[in-house]
Every structure is written in structure tokens, then in C-alpha cells.
Amino acid sequence: QSVSFITLFQNSLLVSISAAIAAVILGISLAYAFARFRFPGRQSGLFLILLTAVLPPIAFTTPLYLLLSLLKLRTTLVGLAIVYAAFAMPFCVWNLRAAFQAIPKELEEAAFLDGAGYFTTFWRITLPLATPSIAVATLIAFLMAYSEFTIGWLFVEKAETVTLAMSIYAVLISGSAQPWSQIGSLAILMSAPVVVIFLI
């Protein structure tokens, strides 16, 4: 079944942006907790997160497949965004944890002395100082979801939910005469948002 380029492009952007936002928001909360608080299981939690970053993505496909099937989300773009967000989470947590640790704790303590609460201090002091690292984590999470095509096939059944990266790969392995001009055009158009984001 043929799908228009606009649909493929919209699917890619929707999934990638959603995955990046989810991974960064969850990563920020986890990273700040690991950087600033001391609680039982902290070191074990960090080790488990690091372990998930080392393991290949294929190791998580079975549990994610079962979980999303139970939630009736496996064949949807929402389910695909959840999968890509899960893959990007470990990097976001470790990158942002280092960023929060680099921010002097004395700045937060000074805000506490001025009467600011935990949320106000985090929102107005810590978060702005960590903006460069947050931008990097968001970009990497976006690129991970935007360029991934192998794992996504396990969570897609309809042509309407295929992403641009998947479609290019499908054309390459179709076995018929390769329309190299079309593949080259798709690759250039696909790279355009990435170039724009890097320039910004």
C-alpha cells in the first residue's frame, strides 16, 4: 500500500518529537533525584540504568511488545513513541545527572534561604543552568527516534503508521529495481529537519 511522503514525514516528526519530550521530561526528574538526593537503592538504580544503556535495544523488544499489546498501543504511533522514549531514557538520565551535579548546590541553598521552595528553586535556578545539557539530550533522543527503523517494524502493522526511515529501508530491501533517484531524494528530505535543528 502506497503512502504519501507527507504522511511518512508527519509520522516521523510526531513519533520523534513525542519520544524526545517524554524521555527528557522523565530523564530530568530521575537525573535530579539521583544527583541531589540520597536514598536506599540509589547506586543500584544508577547501575541498572547504565546496564540498560549498554544492552542492545533488541533485548527490550519482548517486554515492550507484551506491555504495549496489553495496553492496546502496540500498533499505534503512541506505542512507537513509547518504545523510542524507553531507548533514549538511559542516555538522558546519565547526561542530565552529570549536568545537575555540575551546578553548585550552594546556589540552591541560597534560594532556600530567600524563601524559595524545592519546585521554585528547581524551576528558576537549576533548570535554566542545565539548559545546554537538556538541549543536547533532547537532540540525541530526537535523532535516535528519527533514524531508527529496525525495531520499529515489530510495533507497526499498518502502512499509515510507518515512519520515513522505515519506508526508505523498505524500498532498499524490496528486491526490485532500486529507484536510486527517489531514495536519494527521500534521504535528503529526511535529513533536512536534522540539519535545521543542528543549525539552531
Side-chain angles (χ1 to χ4, degrees):
Q1 182 180 352
S2 61
V3 182
S4 67
F5 171 80
I6 298 298
T7 301
L8 296 172
F9 189 62
Q10 287 176 342
N11 291 346
S12 293
L13 288 182
L14 179 62
V15 169
S16 303
I17 293 173
S18 301
I21 291 174
V24 169
I25 289 177
L26 295 175
I28 285 173
S29 57
L30 272 174
Y32 186 76
F34 282 123
R36 285 290 188 255
F37 302 115
R38 300 293 180 267
F39 50 87
R42 176 174 171 271
Q43 295 299 327
S44 300
L46 283 172
F47 176 76
L48 287 175
I49 293 174
L50 180 61
L51 183 63
T52 58
V54 174
L55 291 174
I58 196 68
F60 304 101
T61 54
T62 300
L64 285 170
Y65 185 95
L66 295 174
L67 177 62
L68 294 177
S69 296
L70 289 174
L71 297 175
K72 309 295 184 184
L73 293 174
R74 183 178 64 82
T75 59
T76 65
L77 292 176
V78 175
L80 197 59
I82 292 173
V83 171
Y84 291 155
F87 292 159
M89 272 285 293
F91 171 81
C92 291
V93 172
W94 276 89
N95 181 65
L96 294 174
R97 174 178 173 267
F100 289 137
Q101 285 181 324
I103 298 173
K105 198 171 183 179
E106 290 76 11
L107 293 175
E108 295 180 349
E109 292 171 350
F112 293 150
L113 291 176
D114 288 338
Y118 278 106
F119 180 78
T120 303
T121 301
F122 175 75
W123 185 257
R124 298 202 172 189
I125 305 295
T126 309
L127 205 58
L129 292 174
T131 300
S133 295
I134 295 172
V136 170
T138 305
L139 177 61
I140 298 300
F142 173 84
L143 291 178
M144 289 175 66
Y146 190 68
S147 60
E148 205 285 325
F149 57 87
T150 53
I151 304 298
W153 288 113
L154 297 175
F155 301 91
V156 168
E157 289 184 354
K158 299 179 180 178
E160 293 79 10
T161 56
V162 170
T163 63
L164 193 54
M166 291 182 198
S167 66
I168 294 176
Y169 179 70
V171 173
L172 285 172
I173 64 171
S174 61
S176 57
Q178 304 295 353
W180 293 112
S181 59
Q182 295 180 18
I183 294 173
S185 300
L186 284 173
I188 292 173
L189 289 171
M190 181 179 176
S191 65
V194 179
V195 174
V196 171
I197 291 174
F198 267 105
L199 289 175
I200 293 174

